[in-house]
Amino acid sequence: MKNIISNTYSRKFRGISTFESEAESIYFLLPFKFHSISIDREVLVNEIGDYLIVPQGTAKAIVHREIDFSSNLYRDLVANFFISPTPVPELLNVISTRYRTKKKSLGSFTSLHIFVVTLRCNHSCHYCQVSRAAESKSEFDISYKDLDAGINHMFLSPSEELTVEFQGGEPLLAFDKVRYAVERIQLLNEDFKKEISYVICTNSTILNDEILLFCKNYNILISTSLDGPAFIHNANRFKSGRASYDLVIEGIDRTRQALGHDKVSALMTTTALSLKYPKEIIDNYVENGFGNIFLRPISPYGFALKNQKKNHYQTAEFLDFYKQGLEHILNLNAQGVFFKEDYTSIILQKILTPFTENYVDLQSPTGLVSSVIVFNYDGFVYASDESRMLAEIKDYTFQLGHVTQPYEELFLGDKAKQILNNGVAECLAGCSDCAFLTYCGADPVLHYATQNDMQGHRAFSIFCKKNMEIIRYLFEMLDIRKGYVESTFQSWIHKPAA
Ligand code: SF4
């Protein structure tokens, strides 16, 4: 204070001696943020996702240079890149390498290519997000010409690893198109030599020996829909004739026998009915031989918007469902049953390891276009699966163009740039100073669908509300129930589901 020159009209810098004397006794702050996780605890998170859970008020004490040099906390803060004894940390290279690792997905560009081979379906699910077409209407199948054009675009991707996903409607109603696409891709790949994996997203009700033999020959994975016990599944996923649940379970068994136990996975959608039955849904997955479940909220697109009574609920209700489910899953693990929740595992990988999952909804910059692309049945190209769902309710905001256009126009054109510009969480109000940024992402489609704005306002964002509470809750568990909970969480990250 002795060097401050008092002046009522201007503020002067302190004299050089002030800084010289402080420089000997202060540490330097590295970029970090903090978030309160309970009444008396807060979590500090740095730019590369390392965290420390500490008593409330610690962030303030760090900023005011009140941390004792001889304390363990001081050593932890230095070792974990929250503060530095030198203006530029000695291990700056390590920090930059770790940051690049977190953003590794940016290096490869589009890897997931979704081909919607038909909009036809044999179900009438009340939450259907793509407004399916009747089984007989073959005009809703993709043409061979558009399929060829989509495949050609796919091979222009710089990514060495490609995933081809066939979706619908029910894609197996257009199995001829699936077969054609796989055989053509295999042929072209003799020159391109990329690592290609295939997934068919099917309701599993029309799988037959011919289809399963084809899947076996090309190592194709089956991803099916299972919403839990029959009384929930059949209420959500109506099918005339035989009940959907019995057919799905038969389809899963048949697939496992033909392809192997691990070649079939299942996805559930949480409806208003599901909210009351988290344990029953999870137990159903265990009984059916699955080692994981993705507790997925309903997406506000397509027919889902028309059936408000069955499909609409508050984010707080979903969070309640999620927490009850997670608790039940942890109890199962405590009893020796290895079982994991997928969304939690994706976030935990970001929290507990230097790596990150390429899950489109939790990427920044957004994974739209840069990780995933959709070739729709009518030849139009969309930034993601949810983007084409919006198009089914006549909103073409995320339509990139037609598959017959050149690659550059679709993937690097103005629309793609607009979407990517609005999908960088580091630049979004609210996210830019959020402690959970590294674990979260940007979701321009959801924000556009719910707020008519690709960036969205975080205070009213269902995406933000869900992620902020889930991440806070996980930190609270890691803090209060460390030991068993942390070792269980670690096993989810490092051991694949059965
Ligand atoms: S969406 Fe919410 S929780 Fe996620 S980074 Fe942005 S402010 Fe944080």
Side-chain angles (χ1 to χ4, degrees), residues 95-105 354-356:
I95 300 176
S96 57
T97 303
R98 293 274 314 278
Y99 194 82
R100 279 200 299 278
T101 305
K102 283 280 182 206
K103 299 288 181 188
K104 193 164 174 274
S105 62
F355 308 105
T356 192

Side-chain angles (χ1 to χ4, degrees), residues 425 430-431 434-437 440-441 458 461 463-465 467-468 471:
C431 298
C434 174
F436 299 157
L437 171 67
C440 195
R458 290 301 166 277
S461 163
F463 173 84
C464 177
K465 190 168 184 176
N467 289 333
M468 195 173 279
I471 298 168

Side-chain angles (χ1 to χ4, degrees), residues 3 42 60 65 74 88 144 169 246 252 367 385 411 443 457:
N3 289 320
E42 64 192 18
K60 192 175 171 194
R65 308 296 198 279
Y74 178 84
V88 176
Y144 288 107
D246 297 339
I252 291 169
D385 207 23
F411 289 78
D443 194 337
H457 193 306

